[in-house]
Amino acid sequence: MVIPIEWYLVLSAFLFAIGAAGVLMRRNLFIVLFSIELMMNAVNINLVGFSRLHENLIGQNFVLFTMTVAAAEAAIGLAIVTALYRNRRTLMVDMFDVMKG
Amino acid sequence: MNYVLPLIPALPLVAFFITLFLGKWWLKDSAHWIPILAMAGSFVLSVAAFLAIRGEEHAMVVELWRWIPVGDFQVPIAFQLDQLSSVMLLVVTGVGTLIFIYSKGYMHGDPGYYRFFAYLSLFAFSMLMLVLGANYLLLYLGWEAVGLCSYYLIGFYYHKPSAASAGKKAFLTNRVGDFGFGLGVMLIFVTFGSLDYLHVFEAVEHGGTSEGILLAIGLLLFMGAMGKSAQFPLHVWLPDAMEGPTPVSALIHAATMVTAGVYMVARSSVIFASAPTAMLVVGAVGAFTAIFAASIGLVQNDIKRVMAYSTVSQLGYMFMALGIGAWIPAIFHLVTHAFFKALLFLGSGSVIHSLGGEQDMRKMGGLARKIPFTYWTLIAGAFALAGVFPFAGFWSKDEILGMNFKGGGYIIWAVGLIAAFITAFYTFRLIFMTFWGESRMDPEVEKHVHESPWSMVVPLMVLGVLSVGAGALLGIPPEGGLFAKFLEPVFEPANQILGVHHEAFAAIDVILMIVSLAVALSGVALAYVFYVRRPDDLPQKAGAISQPLYKAVLNKWYIDEIYDATIIRLTIDGSRWLWRVVDAGVIDGAVNGVARLWDIAGRIVSPFQTGRVQNYAVVMFVGLFVIVTAVIVF
Amino acid sequence: MAEKLLFIVFAAFAVAGALGVITRSNVVHGLILLVFTFINVAGIFLLTQAHFLAVIQILVYAGAILVLFAFVVMFLNLREFQQEEQFHRGQKWAVVVLAPVMLAEIVFVVTAVTWSSVGDGFTPEAIAAQGGNVMVLGEQLFTKMLLPFEIASLILLVGMVGAILLAAKEDGESVCLREWDDDDCVSASLVEREV
């Protein structure tokens, strides 16, 4: 293996941390969704890297399913965004504070 | 019989539900039809049951289903038909039907008309369950249910504070007795492992049960009977129960429910026969109550209260009889008493109805001409109660006294005789004060005096005929009449234990009959002298001569006051202490303390719940960080 | 050696793009930077001999999904939000501390572990001999992974139905997120006019 597995993992860790930071600190719902996509991509990199390491294709197959789920998630997420915007006329996440009992 | 027997209590139950649910909106003023028809149907079925059980040696038991099957504790819903329950069935349904019909006239126009009939039907159902049940738990069920109905019906005019509190008094006093009864039932189960009559009695007959336990069972059961049948010292509720409508007083507090205690002791005759001390207690309490209540009845001025004390006194007679093992005379007296006391109550109700609600005998008088039907039927009832030959009460009362005398219980016999004398006196005091002499009515009331409607008079006449003839028909010769022959099989085991032999009718019986007749007649005569010849001065003089005694009797021997000063005072003070100190201080303090603790905890924690998802996510990541750190470090 | 160099370049671009995504205040800028990041990730897939995934990454992710995002971004009028505060005030600092620490931990763990290969034999050479990455992957997908594949189609279908349901316009008078709070109510027609 030409490129050491650690490189993949470290890159994935960077992207994941950046994505997590984006989810946690951005107020704009779109950027939050982007950040989630970033985190998923970090996972994909891991899967592909391990697929290469273990010399099989299971990881790559898995990435296909991850993408499927990401696509569905994006569609639903965007639908929610539109619904929210229609009802509240804002997309600032901290304005939605009804998630309490 | 399998189908007939369950139907007897079922009919009034159905009537109860129909009347209760449809009464207010639909049946309204015709609410009486369904209960009356149901009751008449039960009566017909009871007659069928009577014909079926006549001459049978053994009881019939119809088991419907297992009610409570818990391990060894098996309680079926089962009905037992034997001669005793058959007699009770006939009394309850027969007198019940007449009183239902009477109620149609008496309660006419009452705003709670349908409610009244619903309660009456429920009562009939409960009473029939009580009588028919084949085990002690069903008896207990019926026992409590009739108590409940009694409470409802005493407090029927619930807007009247005195009626409401009389209902409560009845309920609470009964509770004292029922507590003992409940314990007795439990002791029976613990001892015999069953509650079925047949099983228990067989075990007792078989012997081997220690007399101490039987004595305890007997006394506990009798405690229940004391409450339900208003025996001293638990008699206080019955006179107050007269706050209820008169048909209720007649049905529940004279003819049927209060005799449940007598029925229960007679039913348990085997147990009592095996515990002579318990029987002694029963007889002593009965005799004391008989004379004690009669003495109070002497001076009461409320027509219904005279009847109430008379009922207590007559129930005392029945227990007196049970106490010497005279089971059949006791039941015989129960039956005749049901007839003539129901008659007297209904007659008094008729008088009250005629006078537009007046109950004070001092404001009556001279009514004989104005309400002749009521008068003549009441006369029949009064003779029966006083025990004058050949009316019904004579035969049963004479049997009781006769058996006491022949059994050697001379003291009890004498007490009974004195009570009989007093009974005759106050009964005719009532008759003379109400119907004879000058009218002492308010002129306003007098104008409206009218004979009661037919629905009230007809039951009076039927009961009148029964009061005149039933005793002679069933009770000749004493101790060997139709009634005694019919009931013989039920009490055979108890009599065997006691070793009672049936004795032939002899000269001694005739002498005793003449003595008791003479006593009764002299009571009537004395009443005549007091209240017809010299009503203006003699009663006052007699009262003045025995001033302290008179006052004590007038105040019902201060029993209510004694209860107020001791038990009730103590309960109230104790409750107040529990309320102020234990409840408000300890329990509320603890509860409030716990609540405050959580309140404070909540105040600390609740700011963390902001409702913003990202805050939660941060906390999640912090948690993740902590876990990963922990994994790395350890 | 050239591959390592390329990996570093792609990785650096991807991380830079990702950082740009979470710092830009303009959503469209963020979106374009996200596409840029994904393309670089696709490059890394290529370096790993995952040809099919690289293509899919660009087609589906950078293409379809992000076009969808762009569509919605344009659909809604988002300019007004640019003037607002973009970061959580308190949370920003928590994240600035937390994210690097998390990153450090992951890197520490990843580098501390000695990774060994299972060695199932599907080396790039073997795959090339069998007809290439796309063929082998497809074969596995439609044999070993058939059931998950079908389930994935179902997930997409459900996602589609859900999205349509959620985004469908309601024809009520006014919509209240919090029913007890009247000020919170917004008339639907008013929103529609604006949207």
Side-chain angles (χ1 to χ4, degrees), chain B residues 387-467:
Chain B
V388 173
F389 180 85
F391 292 88
F394 169 77
W395 300 99
S396 50
K397 198 182 278 186
D398 178 65
E399 251 183 60
I400 293 174
L401 291 174
M403 279 190 80
N404 263 308
F405 186 83
K406 284 188 287 184
Y410 299 115
I411 300 172
I412 290 185
W413 176 75
V415 169
L417 218 52
I418 297 169
F421 175 77
I422 303 175
T423 306
F425 181 82
Y426 69 64
T427 311
F428 277 86
R429 171 176 174 266
L430 183 150
I431 293 288
F432 295 144
M433 279 182 85
T434 311
F435 292 102
W436 290 35
E438 295 297 310
S439 166
R440 295 179 299 278
M441 290 177 281
D442 293 338
E444 192 55 39
V445 174
E446 193 166 1
K447 261 186 264 172
H448 294 105
V449 172
H450 55 282
E451 183 61 278
S452 303
W454 285 108
S455 59
M456 288 166 70
V457 173
V458 170
L460 282 179
M461 293 200 289
V462 175
L463 285 169
V465 169
L466 286 170
S467 300

Side-chain angles (χ1 to χ4, degrees), chain B residues 612 614-615 618 621-622 624-625 628-629 632, chain C residues 88 91 94-95 98 101-102 105-106 108-109:
Chain B
R612 296 193 179 88
Q614 284 174 318
N615 294 147
V618 166
F621 272 91
V622 171
L624 188 64
F625 164 69
V628 173
T629 313
I632 292 170
Chain C
H88 281 290
Q91 209 146 302
V95 172
L98 197 62
V101 172
M102 284 291 300
E105 273 187 344
I106 297 174
F108 173 76
V109 173

Side-chain angles (χ1 to χ4, degrees), chain B residues 328-600:
Chain B
I328 295 172
I331 298 299
F332 188 28
H333 196 53
L334 187 160
V335 174
T336 56
H337 175 257
F339 293 150
F340 63 70
K341 191 50 69 64
L343 169 63
L344 284 167
F345 263 114
L346 295 183
S348 325
S350 178
V351 170
I352 296 166
H353 191 76
S354 306
L355 297 179
E358 184 57 61
Q359 300 199 0
D360 193 334
M361 292 194 295
R362 285 170 300 191
K363 292 186 179 164
M364 296 178 184
L367 282 171
R369 293 268 176 79
K370 291 181 170 135
I371 42 175
F373 285 115
T374 308
Y375 171 64
W376 284 110
T377 47
L378 259 183
I379 284 282
F383 274 117
L385 173 58
V388 173
F389 180 85
F391 292 88
F394 169 77
W395 300 99
S396 50
K397 198 182 278 186
D398 178 65
E399 251 183 60
I400 293 174
L401 291 174
M403 279 190 80
N404 263 308
F405 186 83
K406 284 188 287 184
Y410 299 115
I411 300 172
I412 290 185
W413 176 75
V415 169
L417 218 52
I418 297 169
F421 175 77
I422 303 175
T423 306
F425 181 82
Y426 69 64
T427 311
F428 277 86
R429 171 176 174 266
L430 183 150
I431 293 288
F432 295 144
M433 279 182 85
T434 311
F435 292 102
W436 290 35
E438 295 297 310
S439 166
R440 295 179 299 278
M441 290 177 281
D442 293 338
E444 192 55 39
V445 174
E446 193 166 1
K447 261 186 264 172
H448 294 105
V449 172
H450 55 282
E451 183 61 278
S452 303
W454 285 108
S455 59
M456 288 166 70
V457 173
V458 170
L460 282 179
M461 293 200 289
V462 175
L463 285 169
V465 169
L466 286 170
S467 300
V468 174
L473 181 70
L474 299 172
I476 297 179
E479 294 164 50
L482 281 176
F483 196 77
K485 288 230 172 64
F486 176 67
L487 273 178
E488 202 109 58
V490 181
F491 297 113
E492 189 58 41
N495 282 338
Q496 260 175 13
I497 294 171
L498 286 176
V500 172
H501 304 292
H502 186 259
E503 289 171 39
F505 188 68
I508 183 89
D509 290 301
V510 179
I511 295 168
L512 288 171
M513 277 165 117
I514 292 169
V515 169
S516 55
L517 179 59
V519 164
L521 285 177
S522 58
V524 176
L526 192 64
Y528 181 77
V529 171
F530 261 62
Y531 293 98
V532 180
R533 276 300 168 84
R534 299 169 66 182
D536 300 321
D537 57 336
L538 208 51
Q540 277 83 355
K541 257 188 210 165
I545 291 169
S546 55
Q547 185 60 22
L549 196 66
Y550 178 74
K551 265 191 89 174
V553 175
L554 197 60
N555 285 302
K556 301 164 268 176
W557 297 105
Y558 299 106
I559 295 291
D560 278 327
E561 283 74 12
I562 291 169
Y563 284 167
D564 274 344
T566 53
I567 298 168
I568 295 173
R569 187 82 254 148
L570 217 67
T571 312
I572 289 176
D573 286 350
S575 307
R576 187 162 291 141
W577 181 80
L578 285 173
W579 160 42
R580 293 252 165 85
V581 179
V582 178
D583 194 61
V586 180
I587 294 173
D588 280 7
V591 172
N592 288 342
V594 170
R596 198 164 298 131
L597 188 73
W598 292 116
D599 186 45
I600 293 166

Side-chain angles (χ1 to χ4, degrees), chain B residues 239-315:
Chain B
D240 285 16
M242 296 302 132
E243 291 286 346
T246 305
V248 171
S249 310
L251 179 61
I252 300 186
H253 305 119
T256 53
M257 185 191 84
V258 289
T259 60
V262 180
Y263 164 77
M264 188 252 279
V265 174
R267 171 61 80 199
S268 318
S269 56
V270 175
I271 294 176
F272 281 90
S274 313
T277 319
M279 280 181 74
L280 194 68
V281 173
V282 173
V285 170
F288 180 72
T289 310
I291 192 161
F292 169 82
S295 73
I296 301 176
L298 269 178
V299 295
Q300 294 297 316
N301 287 317
D302 183 318
I303 187 167
K304 281 178 76 181
R305 278 183 185 260
V306 176
M307 295 296 176
Y309 282 107
S310 156
T311 305
V312 176
S313 166
Q314 296 302 312
L315 289 166

